[in-house]
Amino acid sequence: MTSKLSLLDNLGLCNNLLSLYLKTDGTLNARKLFDEMPNRTVFAWTVMISSYTKTQELASALSLFEEMLASGIVPNEFTFSSVLRSCAGLRELNYGAKVHGSVIKTGFLGDSVIGSSLTDIYSKCGKLKEARELFTSCKNGADTISWTMMISSLVEARKWKEALQFYSEMVEAGVSPNEFTFVKLLGASSFLGLEFGKVIHSNIIVRGVLLNVVLKTSLVDFYSRFAEMEDSVRVLNSSGEQDVFLWTSVVSGFVRNLRAKEAVATFLEMRGLGLQPDNFTYTAMLSLCSSVQLLDLGKLIHSLTIKVGLEDSTDVGNALLDMYMKCSASEVEALRVFRAMISPNVVSWTTLLLGLVDHGFEQDCFGVLMEMVRQRVEPNVVTLSGVLRACSKLKSVRRVLEIHGYILRQYVDGEIIIGNSLVDAYASSDKVAYAWNVAKLMDRRDTITYTSLVTRFNELGKHEMAQSVIKHMYGDGISPDQFSLPGFISASANLGALENGKHLHCYSEKSGYSSSVWVSNSMIDMYAKCGVLEDAKKVFEEIATPDVVSWNGLVSGLASNGCISSALSAFEEMRMKGTEPDSVTFLILLSACRNGRLTEMGLEYFRSMEEIHNIKPQIEHYVHLVDILGRAGRLEEATGVLETMPLRQNALIFKTLLRACRYHGNLSLGEDMASKGLALAPSDPAFYILLADLYEESGKPELAQKTRNLMSQKGLSKKLGKSSVEVQGKMHSFFSEDVTTVEKTKGIYAEIEWIKSEIERSGFRYRGNESASYHSAKQAAVFGLVYTSAQTPVHVVKNKIMCKDCHDFVSLITRLVDKNITVRDGNQVHVFKNGKCSCKGDETSYVLS
């Protein structure tokens, strides 16, 4: 014991042992020795504090500094520097300010190292003004390290231009930058643009700065961010040292730019040179496989990671999990990877959860979240956003409320990301008020917030509400971008708000968003739905590379406006130009064949889906097929399709065949279809209405009345007819009225009566149905006629198929007045001009009564 104490009394020996422990054995044993030392010099205290700072045990560094002050030992400049760096790492501004005061009292303020450390803490704590004042006060004595630290602080604070300005001042002050200065400047240039980085690169060459691996890696990373991979490769091949990190940076650059062949070639060349790829290299390669769907390559990389002993790496495991989830049709391999992981972290759990959502296992996500929490892994904003996306797909309000409650209890950070996910989840579940409330309570909203609202409102059919979102958006000082614009244009399209749609088109031109294919596609849809085909074609022709959605929009627009032959020609042109059709394309084609009475062609398109294009028909395709056969009177074949199709029948397919039975007067089949349809949708009034009409037209008025009475007893009623028309940028809505309850001499009813008299006076034949006198389509068409200028076409949108009486009435208006009137009911646009309609009088395109 005596000999041990005598050794501890030897300050020189203890200090040397302390330094040795810290270099070779870490802080734990060094601290034990430090605590046993009876006499501790400023050197011992400083070495111990500095070690804690280097190993990022920052709180321990500050705690030990407090003990040092309590012991009466006066810190030196190196002690203060380490303590200030710990304060900067912890963002402890108040404590740092106290240390600053001690620095002033002890007379170390002029020291360049301390000056740099003070500058660092103030800049990292967001006090850039104070940091600059400090730097300026000791500018004359500032060395390369001080200047570089100030530049680094500005880069971290995202003040990139100011960082470059400081570099200019550094050069003017005659201080030579080093490789670390240029690393920071290249980081700033990554955000400022390619030309800035090239200037920095030229400065490196002119100044003869040695291209070590750190600087070369920064140059490679910079050039790859701007897809200048040839320059990245030149930097790699330039003289000087190379290592795994540099090669990995080149591989990552090719991956970032989705240049798969070059990434694989670089990876193989790296291995050929004897450089062993590390976990970052393999992670980059697996990221490539995820991005470009290379499952076989991903499996090969997986086997290599096992051979080199990286199977326990969490980073590699996460990349494998992501690759299998994105590339494989099954989730089995991904689950196998996850279960084999020794220490799955929050990224692992989140990747698993997001993958399950993408594979359609939304319900399982909630179990994953619960297990994650049980394993004491704290979900982050991405995890919770993924769970909320599952809620959106399930349209489960209960689940959204549960997750919302968890978020409030846990005080989760990332307010805007979580807020946007909640807005989307509530809006998807038709909880519009909840969605708005969450949006209003958010401290800050962005384009994603409003894009979610307008998209979901459109999906819910709340197009007027969707259109109004733009006012709130402007109120927050946010302008629509290429992602939100299609939503607003879609709202205008569905409302028939042509004037508003044109304003949005003009805005897209001025803002530079018209080059976005998403914006252009929405424009094609809007003009086609408003009956302005020429403008729809013009927008299509201006798209540099139309995608399948663009072509679908053109084909659909032509077909819905009655240009069936042109629509089918456009489809053939689409195929000749190399764009593969999708399932939506065939829905459009089948609809066109139905409207054009092209039965055989419709059957041929249906057959070609699976035989030629490998697209499995869905229930919607079968509904169209039954409709095509039904309209052609081939009811037996339609019934055969319905009974033999490999999918479960839904109410719509029975309703479609019932409508055909009514048109062709097939009572027995119609009764069967009504019975089967009502078994699936007992609250759908359309079945009762169609069946009652079929009885009436088959000479069975008592059964017709009985059916209508049954409908009334069940509390069901006919869907109220609603039509809207845009006048001077404002939408006006009208509802069908009972002829017995209105005053014919007032308002719009008087206008309708006057037009009727003009039709009779002009000698045109019109046998009006008294019960249809004030249907909504008539009111809207007449209102548009009266309140728009002579040159402005009238565009009406109706929520139901237009009846024959309204069809004839609007047609005759265009014979009386030289004015185009379009009426869109569902997917068909009736363009009336000079007494003729684009549907060519096809009686199956409107309701008979």
Side-chain angles (χ1 to χ4, degrees):
M1 178 66 72
T2 307
S3 61
K4 182 181 178 183
L5 288 172
S6 63
L7 285 171
L8 289 171
D9 284 334
N10 187 328
L11 285 176
L13 178 62
C14 284
N15 286 341
N16 287 331
L17 278 172
L18 190 62
S19 297
L20 182 64
Y21 276 136
L22 289 169
K23 285 178 182 176
T24 61
D25 202 32
T27 56
L28 188 63
N29 287 325
R31 181 62 192 262
K32 286 179 183 176
L33 173 63
F34 178 82
D35 288 339
E36 290 178 358
M37 289 170 64
N39 300 306
R40 301 166 195 155
T41 62
V42 66
F43 172 82
W45 286 97
T46 301
V47 166
M48 200 68 223
I49 291 168
S50 175
S51 179
Y52 278 136
T53 302
K54 285 176 183 174
T55 57
Q56 293 298 301
E57 298 172 77
L58 307 178
S60 298
L62 298 187
S63 176
L64 191 60
F65 179 65
E66 285 291 316
E67 289 181 39
M68 178 183 182
L69 294 177
S71 73
I73 300 292
V74 178
N76 63 19
E77 64 271 35
F78 302 109
T79 323
F80 281 127
S81 177
S82 292
V83 171
L84 286 167
R85 279 191 286 128
S86 292
C87 291
L90 292 168
R91 304 298 190 266
E92 275 282 357
L93 180 61
N94 291 335
Y95 197 91
K98 282 172 60 180
V99 176
H100 188 179
S102 299
V103 167
I104 295 169
K105 286 178 185 175
T106 49
F108 287 119
L109 190 60
D111 184 89
S112 62
V113 176
I114 289 182
S116 296
S117 300
L118 282 167
T119 300
D120 187 44
I121 182 174
Y122 282 115
S123 60
K124 281 182 176 173
C125 292
K127 299 291 181 182
L128 281 176
K129 183 183 175 187
E130 290 81 351
R132 293 188 68 165
E133 286 173 356
L134 265 168
F135 181 82
T136 304
S137 67
C138 58
K139 192 173 180 180
N140 293 333
D143 57 8
T144 301
I145 294 171
S146 305
W147 281 95
T148 301
M149 194 169 282
M150 189 63 207
I151 289 168
S152 175
S153 300
L154 289 166
V155 172
E156 282 190 33
R158 304 173 74 85
K159 304 282 185 182
W160 301 301
K161 285 188 178 178
E162 289 183 44
L164 291 186
Q165 181 59 42
F166 250 75
Y167 170 65
S168 297
E169 292 177 24
M170 178 182 184
V171 173
E172 287 173 13
V175 180
S176 296
N178 61 17
E179 62 270 30
F180 300 106
T181 318
F182 286 116
V183 166
K184 297 299 178 184
L185 292 169
L186 286 166
S189 301
S190 295
F191 295 95
L192 291 172
L194 180 61
E195 294 308 313
F196 288 90
K198 284 187 171 181
V199 170
I200 298 301
H201 193 177
S202 66
N203 271 246
I204 293 169
I205 296 167
V206 168
R207 290 183 167 275
V209 176
L210 181 66
L211 280 177
N212 63 13
V213 284
V214 176
L215 187 50
K216 286 174 80 172
T217 302
S218 294
L219 280 164
V220 165
D221 185 62
F222 166 76
Y223 280 119
S224 70
R225 285 179 185 274
F226 293 96
E228 299 287 335
M229 287 309 300
E230 285 66 29
D231 286 329
S232 288
V233 172
R234 272 193 285 273
V235 171
L236 170 70
N237 294 329
S238 62
S239 60
E241 53 188 322
Q242 295 181 346
D243 66 359
V244 172
F245 294 109
L246 177 60
W247 277 87
T248 299
S249 188
V250 177
V251 171
S252 298
F254 282 124
V255 170
R256 180 186 287 134
N257 291 285
L258 300 181
R259 292 172 62 171
K261 286 183 181 177
E262 293 93 332
V264 173
T266 306
F267 174 76
L268 293 174
E269 186 181 351
M270 173 185 181
R271 295 180 72 214
L273 291 170
L275 288 168
Q276 181 58 53
D278 61 10
N279 56 328
F280 298 109
T281 324
Y282 285 111
T283 299
M285 290 301 295
L286 289 166
S287 173
L288 172 71
C289 299
S290 299
S291 300
V292 294
Q293 303 287 293
L294 296 171
L295 180 60
D296 290 339
L297 178 61
K299 287 179 176 179
L300 179 63
I301 299 296
H302 188 178
S303 65
L304 287 174
T305 61
I306 295 169
K307 284 180 183 176
V308 298
L310 286 173
E311 65 266 36
D312 293 338
S313 165
T314 303
D315 290 338
V316 172
N318 291 342
L320 282 166
L321 185 57
D322 183 60
M323 185 274 295
Y324 281 120
M325 278 297 190
K326 287 178 178 171
C327 298
S328 179
S330 166
E331 77 291 350
V332 174
E333 281 298 327
L335 289 171
R336 191 175 290 131
V337 168
F338 180 80
R339 291 186 186 115
M341 293 177 76
I342 295 170
S343 303
N345 58 15
V346 66
V347 176
S348 319
W349 286 95
T350 302
T351 306
L352 173 66
L353 194 145
L354 294 175
L356 289 172
V357 176
D358 291 335
H359 279 265
F361 296 99
E362 294 87 3
Q363 205 66 253
D364 295 326
C365 294
F366 306 104
V368 170
L369 180 66
M370 289 172 67
E371 183 59 28
M372 179 181 181
V373 173
R374 270 198 295 270
Q375 296 289 337
R376 299 184 183 281
V377 179
E378 194 68 33
N380 61 20
V381 291
V382 182
T383 322
L384 294 169
S385 293
V387 177
L388 287 167
R389 184 154 65 87
C391 296
S392 295
K393 292 177 83 171
L394 291 170
K395 303 193 186 307
S396 171
V397 181
R398 180 177 65 83
R399 290 292 195 185
V400 181
L401 289 167
E402 286 174 1
I403 302 301
H404 195 175
Y406 174 85
I407 290 164
L408 293 173
R409 288 193 300 275
Q410 298 298 316
Y411 303 103
V412 177
D413 288 333
E415 190 262 356
I416 195 163
I417 298 170
I418 291 292
N420 286 340
S421 298
L422 281 167
V423 165
D424 187 66
Y426 278 126
S428 296
S429 306
D430 201 7
K431 289 293 177 184
V432 173
Y434 286 28
W436 269 123
N437 285 339
V438 171
K440 287 172 184 173
L441 288 170
M442 289 168 67
D443 293 334
R444 184 171 65 88
R445 290 163 289 278
D446 60 8
T447 52
I448 297 171
T449 318
Y450 290 108
T451 302
S452 292
L453 285 169
V454 70
T455 303
R456 296 307 183 189
F457 291 166
N458 277 328
E459 287 174 2
L460 293 167
K462 301 178 187 293
H463 305 300
E464 288 184 61
M465 190 177 285
Q467 200 176 50
S468 71
V469 169
I470 200 166
K471 294 176 185 174
H472 298 276
M473 197 172 185
Y474 281 130
D476 270 348
I478 300 168
S479 297
D481 60 10
Q482 69 267 39
F483 304 109
S484 55
L485 257 180
F488 295 117
I489 295 166
S490 177
S492 297
N494 286 292
L495 289 169
L498 179 60
E499 193 174 327
N500 193 63
K502 284 182 173 179
H503 286 314
L504 291 168
H505 190 176
C506 184
Y507 169 81
S508 74
E509 295 277 358
K510 289 179 180 177
S511 307
Y513 296 131
S514 57
S515 58
S516 162
V517 72
W518 301 307
V519 174
S520 296
N521 290 345
S522 62
M523 284 294 175
I524 293 167
D525 182 59
M526 187 272 295
Y527 282 122
K529 282 181 176 174
C530 290
V532 192
L533 264 183
E534 289 308 311
D535 286 349
K537 289 180 195 173
K538 187 180 176 185
V539 172
F540 178 84
E541 287 162 5
E542 289 172 355
I543 300 174
T545 310
D547 60 12
V548 67
V549 180
S550 317
W551 283 102
N552 284 350
L554 179 67
V555 176
S556 175
L558 289 164
S560 63
N561 280 268
C563 304
I564 306 299
S565 178
S566 299
L568 301 183
S569 296
F571 169 67
E572 293 305 323
E573 186 184 349
M574 166 188 172
R575 290 183 63 195
M576 283 192 291
K577 291 192 174 177
T579 303
E580 275 298 309
D582 61 10
S583 61
V584 176
T585 315
F586 284 99
L587 283 176
I588 295 163
L589 292 171
L590 293 171
S591 176
C593 292
R594 177 197 64 197
N595 293 339
R597 297 295 190 95
L598 302 171
T599 308
E600 292 305 322
M601 189 168 280
L603 293 172
E604 185 56 39
Y605 281 133
F606 186 86
R607 278 192 289 269
S608 73
M609 284 181 69
E610 207 158 3
E611 290 176 9
I612 298 174
H613 302 284
N614 201 27
I615 298 170
K616 278 198 170 184
Q618 299 303 306
I619 188 67
E620 295 84 3
H621 298 98
Y622 282 100
V623 170
H624 277 70
L625 180 61
V626 165
D627 201 5
I628 288 170
L629 292 167
R631 289 192 182 209
R634 293 159 67 167
L635 301 181
E636 192 176 328
E637 288 177 67
T639 307
V641 167
L642 193 147
E643 290 173 348
T644 59
M645 68 182 190
L647 302 170
R648 184 179 293 177
Q649 298 151 342
N650 64 5
L652 180 58
I653 202 162
F654 289 119
K655 193 191 304 181
T656 302
L657 193 47
L658 173 58
R659 187 175 286 112
C661 290
R662 183 215 161 176
Y663 182 75
H664 292 288
N666 191 322
L667 181 58
S668 59
L669 182 59
E671 286 178 322
D672 186 37
M673 292 301 105
S675 173
K676 288 176 178 176
L678 284 168
L680 294 173
S683 299
D684 187 345
F687 284 105
Y688 295 97
I689 294 164
L690 287 167
L691 183 59
D693 289 345
L694 178 56
Y695 280 136
E696 196 79 61
E697 289 155 14
S698 301
K700 297 183 181 291
E702 67 288 346
L703 286 176
Q705 191 56 49
K706 187 178 177 181
T707 304
R708 293 187 183 105
N709 291 342
L710 183 61
M711 177 177 159
S712 299
Q713 288 166 18
K714 289 182 176 289
L716 304 175
S717 59
K718 195 173 183 178
K719 186 179 179 181
L720 188 62
K722 178 188 174 185
S723 296
S724 302
V725 64
E726 184 187 36
V727 175
Q728 295 178 354
K730 186 179 178 184
M731 299 306 299
H732 299 267
S733 297
F734 299 88
F735 297 89
S736 295
E737 299 283 1
D738 189 333
V739 70
T740 62
T741 61
V742 301
E743 292 187 49
K744 298 181 181 180
T745 57
K746 290 188 176 179
I748 198 70
Y749 314 117
E751 299 287 358
I752 291 171
E753 292 301 322
W754 180 80
I755 288 174
K756 280 184 184 178
S757 66
E758 285 296 302
I759 290 171
E760 289 176 13
R761 193 176 63 81
S762 301
F764 297 126
R765 189 179 175 185
Y766 171 62
R767 292 180 179 177
N769 184 340
E770 186 65 18
S771 64
S773 291
Y774 304 126
H775 277 184
S776 62
K778 285 183 184 174
Q779 295 180 57
V782 171
F783 186 86
L785 181 70
V786 172
Y787 291 103
T788 58
S789 63
Q791 296 78 27
T792 307
V794 175
H795 185 71
V796 175
V797 176
K798 196 175 187 304
N799 68 337
K800 295 167 64 178
I801 297 174
M802 186 168 44
C803 73
K804 186 177 187 306
D805 191 83
C806 290
H807 189 278
D808 292 346
F809 182 78
V810 176
S811 181
L812 286 168
I813 289 176
T814 61
R815 290 188 73 180
L816 279 176
V817 184
D818 184 17
K819 197 175 186 74
N820 287 4
I821 300 177
T822 62
V823 179
R824 178 161 56 83
D825 56 350
N827 292 324
Q828 186 154 4
V829 180
H830 298 266
V831 183
F832 295 96
K833 186 176 182 181
N834 299 326
K836 293 180 180 178
C837 177
S838 57
C839 76
K840 300 176 178 63
D842 179 9
E843 289 191 350
T844 58
S845 67
Y846 46 75
V847 181
L848 297 179
S849 62

